[in-house]
Amino acid sequence: MARIVVIGAGLGAMAAAARLAVAGHTVTVYEKTSTYGGAVGRFERDGFGFDTGPGLLHLPAVYRDLFVKTGKEPLEECVSLTQVDPAARHVFADGTRVDLPNASRAGTAAALDAALGAGAGERWGDFMVRAREAWDRTRRPLLEEPQPADLTPLGREPYPALKAGLLRRPTTTLAQVGARELRHPRLAALLDSYAWSYGFDPATAPAAAAVLPYMEQTFGSWYVGGGLRALADAVYERCRQRRVEFVFDTPVEHVVEKDGRAAGVRLAGGETVEADHVVSGAPVPALYRDHVVEGERGDDRPHHQVNGTGRVTVCLALRGPREADAVHRTVVHAEGGRPTVTVLRPDDPALRPDGAYESVTVTATVRTDPGQDWEPFADRMVEAAFPDRMVEAAGRAVPDLAERLLWRHVRTPEDVRRDTGAAEVPGPALAGAGGRLLPAANRSPLPGLYFAGGWSHPGGGLAHAGMSGALVAGLIVEGADFRGSQ
C-alpha cells in the first residue's frame, strides 16, 4: 500500500485521510498549527464557547457517508444532530419579520404570504422551481464527480431564462434574478442574503447561485450539539481510529518533486518525508503564493476562485438566559449604515457557564480586493467601528443586548488568515460566469499531488469540503476509473 502525506488537518483533508487509511494506505498528516479543524475553530473564555467558522451544517449526508465508509459507528452515534426549526428568522429593514421553516416548501410559501402579502410565497416557489432545474443540471459535475478536463460546459449559465414571447431574456446575475423575477424588495433581500452567507456578492454572482437557497431549503439546516467544532472532533477521532498519524506544529515548506511527480514534502525543520502521494488541504492560492507548490505547469487559471470577500465574527458573552421564543438563527438585513448580519443563538448548555448566561455569535461578510494586505483592512474596520455597527444590528434580533453584554471578542479576516492561510471566504463551486467561480481541480497539475478542502473542487462550505475528501480518496484508490461518488 502507498505512503501518503497530507498537508493540513482541515475537514476536507481529514475526510480524505480517513478514507485513504481505510483503503489500507499509510497516512500521515502534517499540520502547521497546534490543532485540527482548519476553519472549523472554537473560541473559549470564562466558560463561554463560540464557533469561529461555520455555525450550521447543510447536506449532512456527506458526513453520514464518511462515517459509514470509515467505521462501524454512524455519524449520529458520534455527534448529536438536530434540525434547526425555524431554519431562520429574517428581520428586514422596514421591521418586517418572517420565520422560514426548515425544509418545508409549503411552509415557506405560507410564511412569506403571511409576512409579505399574498403572492409572495408563489413567486418564491416559482423561483425555487427554476433553481431546482439549475441544481439538477449541475449537482453531479459540481459536487459528486471529479472536475472535468473541459470546463467549457460548466462556464455556461445553467439557470433557465424566462420566456418573453418568442424571445428568451437572459439572466446574468443573481441580483437581476431577484429584481426581475421576485418583484418584491424583501424577497430580493432574502435571496441576496443567501449569496452573502456563502461569500458571494449578489451583484456579481451568476444566476446559478440560485442553487444556494435551493440547497438549504430542500436539504435543511442542522446543528451539531456542542457546536460545529464537535464535528471536527468526531472526524479527528475517526482518523485516529483508522491509524492516521497527526504531527502538529509542523509546517510543510515545499512539495518535493522527482521525475515529474510529487515524491514527498520538505518540512520547516529541513526534514524530507518521502511519499507516493501528497494531499494538500491548505488554501490553493497560498500554496502557489508561498511556493510550497511551483506553478509553471501550464495551469493558467488563477489559483483559484477568490470571491473578494472576508468574514468578520463578533463573539458576545451575555448575562441572562435567552427568551422562550428565541430562534437559533436570525438574519438582520441592512438598514442605513448597518451591515447585514447573521446572529446565531444556539440553545446549548455546552457553550455557556450555566442557564443564567448566553453565547451569541454575530457574523458579516465584507468586501475587499483579492490579494490585498489584510492587516490594514483589519485596522480600518476597527477604526470605522464596524464591529460596533454589527452589534447594533444584532440588537434587532436579541432583546436588551446592550444591557446584557458582558464582553465581546472580534475576529477579523486577518485572524482567519493566521489560522488557515487565507483570509478570503471560499465559496462552493458555481457554474456560469465563464467558469471564474470554479475552484482548483482535486488532481493538481503536478502528478501525485491532490487538493482537498474548501479551496478545491467542489468548493467551500462543510459539505463541499467533506465531498472534496471523498473525491480525492476516489482518485487515489481507483485512479483513472473513478467516476465520482455514488
Side-chain angles (χ1 to χ4, degrees):
M1 287 290 125
R3 300 163 300 172
I4 298 176
V5 164
V6 177
I7 304 172
L11 265 292
M14 289 197 295
R19 290 173 181 271
L20 289 166
V22 166
H25 299 297
T26 301
V27 184
T28 304
V29 178
Y30 293 93
E31 166 58 47
K32 68 177 182 179
T33 71
S34 60
T35 189
Y36 50 85
V40 184
R42 170 65 59 85
F43 174 74
E44 295 179 335
R45 173 180 161 188
D46 301 338
F48 293 88
F50 308 86
D51 282 323
T52 58
L56 292 173
L57 176 64
H58 307 292
L59 288 173
V62 171
Y63 288 92
R64 290 191 179 113
D65 181 71
L66 170 65
F67 277 73
V68 166
K69 300 290 178 56
T70 60
K72 295 180 179 179
E73 303 84 9
L75 177 64
E76 278 83 354
E77 289 188 12
C78 300
V79 298
S80 170
L81 277 181
T82 305
Q83 279 193 301
V84 176
D85 204 0
R89 172 175 292 164
H90 288 263
V91 180
F92 296 101
D94 64 357
T96 302
R97 295 187 173 214
V98 57
D99 288 356
L100 299 182
N102 197 334
S104 172
R105 185 166 300 180
T108 296
L112 292 173
D113 278 343
L116 305 181
E122 182 179 5
R123 286 196 295 276
W124 183 262
D126 290 342
F127 155 71
M128 292 294 281
V129 170
R130 292 187 288 275
R132 176 178 179 174
E133 186 173 336
W135 170 260
D136 289 342
R137 291 175 177 176
T138 60
R139 176 175 178 167
R140 286 290 296 172
L142 284 188
L143 183 61
E144 299 171 348
E145 299 174 347
Q147 196 177 84
D150 181 9
L151 298 176
T152 304
L154 292 178
R156 303 187 188 113
E157 178 58 64
Y159 186 81
L162 288 182
K163 291 185 179 179
L166 297 177
L167 301 176
R168 294 178 68 87
R169 300 165 59 191
T171 302
T172 304
T173 69
L174 191 67
Q176 289 174 332
V177 170
R180 195 187 74 206
E181 300 182 20
L182 298 176
R183 306 189 308 280
H184 193 294
R186 301 284 79 81
L187 289 178
L190 172 63
L191 177 58
D192 287 352
S193 69
Y194 283 98
W196 283 119
S197 69
Y198 284 90
F200 295 109
D201 183 342
T204 58
V211 301
L212 302 177
Y214 174 81
M215 180 179 68
E216 287 200 22
Q217 293 193 9
T218 300
F219 302 105
S221 300
W222 301 74
Y223 178 68
V224 178
L228 265 291
R229 179 66 182 180
L231 178 63
D233 294 340
V235 175
Y236 172 73
E237 288 303 322
R238 179 54 54 89
C239 286
R240 296 278 295 174
Q241 292 166 7
R242 301 284 78 83
R243 304 185 186 279
V244 174
E245 181 182 357
F246 286 82
V247 183
F248 294 105
D249 298 308
T250 306
V252 170
E253 282 192 341
H254 194 69
V255 174
V256 176
E257 181 178 344
K258 182 179 180 181
D259 298 328
R261 62 174 287 114
V265 297
R266 186 176 70 243
L267 306 180
E271 178 187 357
T272 296
V273 179
E274 295 183 350
D276 300 295
H277 304 278
V278 176
V279 176
S280 177
V284 177
L287 291 173
Y288 287 91
R289 180 195 65 211
D290 299 337
H291 302 288
V292 177
V293 179
E294 300 302 333
E296 302 84 12
R297 310 199 68 84
D299 189 359
D300 58 358
R301 286 195 298 140
H303 298 293
H304 273 278
Q305 178 210 73
V306 177
N307 296 336
T309 58
R311 193 159 286 145
V312 182
T313 301
V314 183
C315 305
L316 303 177
L318 305 184
R319 64 170 63 87
R322 69 202 295 270
E323 65 277 14
D325 63 345
V327 300
H328 190 113
R329 174 171 57 168
T330 302
V331 179
V332 181
H333 295 261
E335 180 183 27
R338 295 187 183 98
T340 292
V341 301
T342 297
V343 182
L344 296 182
R345 306 177 66 188
D347 187 10
D348 190 339
L351 302 183
R352 58 187 183 237
D354 56 49
Y357 299 91
E358 183 183 6
S359 297
V360 174
T361 304
V362 185
T363 59
T365 302
V366 291
R367 295 186 185 90
T368 186
D369 296 321
Q372 76 169 14
D373 188 337
W374 282 87
E375 292 190 32
F377 177 67
D379 292 341
R380 288 198 301 273
M381 283 196 299
V382 173
E383 292 170 1
F386 187 77
D388 293 339
R389 291 189 284 130
M390 289 176 61
V391 174
E392 180 185 4
R396 301 177 64 205
V398 183
D400 304 318
L401 187 154
E403 292 75 18
R404 297 175 59 197
L405 182 62
L406 291 171
W407 51 261
R408 77 183 192 191
H409 173 75
V410 179
R411 283 179 56 84
T412 70
E414 173 60 16
D415 296 313
V416 177
R417 185 195 66 77
R418 282 195 296 267
D419 290 346
T420 69
E424 300 87 358
V425 177
L430 293 179
R436 67 178 175 83
L437 295 180
L438 298 175
N442 303 116
R443 185 186 280 115
S444 86
L446 176 64
L449 172 65
Y450 300 83
F451 296 140
W455 288 93
S456 63
H457 180 74
L462 280 174
H464 291 70
M467 198 66 218
S468 76
L471 293 173
V472 165
L475 288 168
I476 292 175
V477 173
E478 300 185 31
D481 294 332
F482 181 62
R483 293 294 179 266
S485 174
Q486 300 301 318

